């Protein structure tokens, strides 16, 4: 499981990711499978791509994308997280 995550994460740094690929990648870190990404889950995702300051950045990412303020990123809020990842994590995510 962990090895698989690393493979996907490494690939994401080398090539452009589509929105769907990003969502699929993110879903791998939804460890409690409630369909939402918590701050802790986002932190793990960021660690997988070797982002720096993951605790701080994951807090930033949640507050950036969490439109209804419940502390979780659900499906309708993923677009905001994509924007955040492009601006702050240097991920290249293309529309299709
Ligand atoms: Ca979750
Ligand atoms: Ca939310």
């Amino acid at each position: 499981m962990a090895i698989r995550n690393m493979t996907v994460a490494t690939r994401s740094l080398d090539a452009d990711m589509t929105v769907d690929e990003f969502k699929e990648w993110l879903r791998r870190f939804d460890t409690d499978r409630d369909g939402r990404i918590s701050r802790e889950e986002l932190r793990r995702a960021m660690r997988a791509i070797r982002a720096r300051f993951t605790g701080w950045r994951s807090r930033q990412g949640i507050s950036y994308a969490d439109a209804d303020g419940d502390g979780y990123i659900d499906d309708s809020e993923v677009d905001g997280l994509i924007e955040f990842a492009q601006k702050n994590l240097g991920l290249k995510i293309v529309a299709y």
Side-chain angles (χ1 to χ4, degrees):
M1 189 66 132
I3 291 163
R4 205 172 161 199
N5 283 347
M6 285 301 282
T7 308
V8 172
T10 304
R11 186 183 148 263
S12 73
L13 291 176
D14 299 338
D16 289 359
M17 232 177 176
T18 66
V19 168
D20 281 348
E21 280 169 347
F22 179 82
K23 287 179 179 174
E24 202 189 310
W25 174 77
L26 198 62
R27 217 168 284 141
R28 291 170 200 271
F29 294 94
D30 181 18
T31 43
D32 61 3
R33 293 175 179 274
D34 65 351
R36 307 177 302 178
I37 299 299
S38 67
R39 190 159 66 82
E40 181 55 31
E41 288 164 350
L42 183 59
R43 193 170 68 84
R44 263 185 237 123
M46 287 182 179
R47 281 173 77 163
I49 58 167
R50 300 184 191 87
R52 300 177 71 188
F53 312 116
T54 54
W56 173 67
R57 280 182 194 275
S58 59
R59 207 157 42 234
Q60 258 195 331
I62 296 281
S63 60
Y64 185 93
D66 183 19
D68 62 8
D70 65 356
Y72 295 91
I73 305 304
D74 62 34
D75 267 356
S76 67
E77 293 165 342
V78 167
D79 288 347
L81 196 59
I82 290 171
E83 216 179 287
F84 178 85
Q86 286 176 308
K87 284 183 188 168
N88 297 285
L89 301 177
L91 290 183
K92 295 192 191 72
I93 302 162
V94 293
Y96 49 86

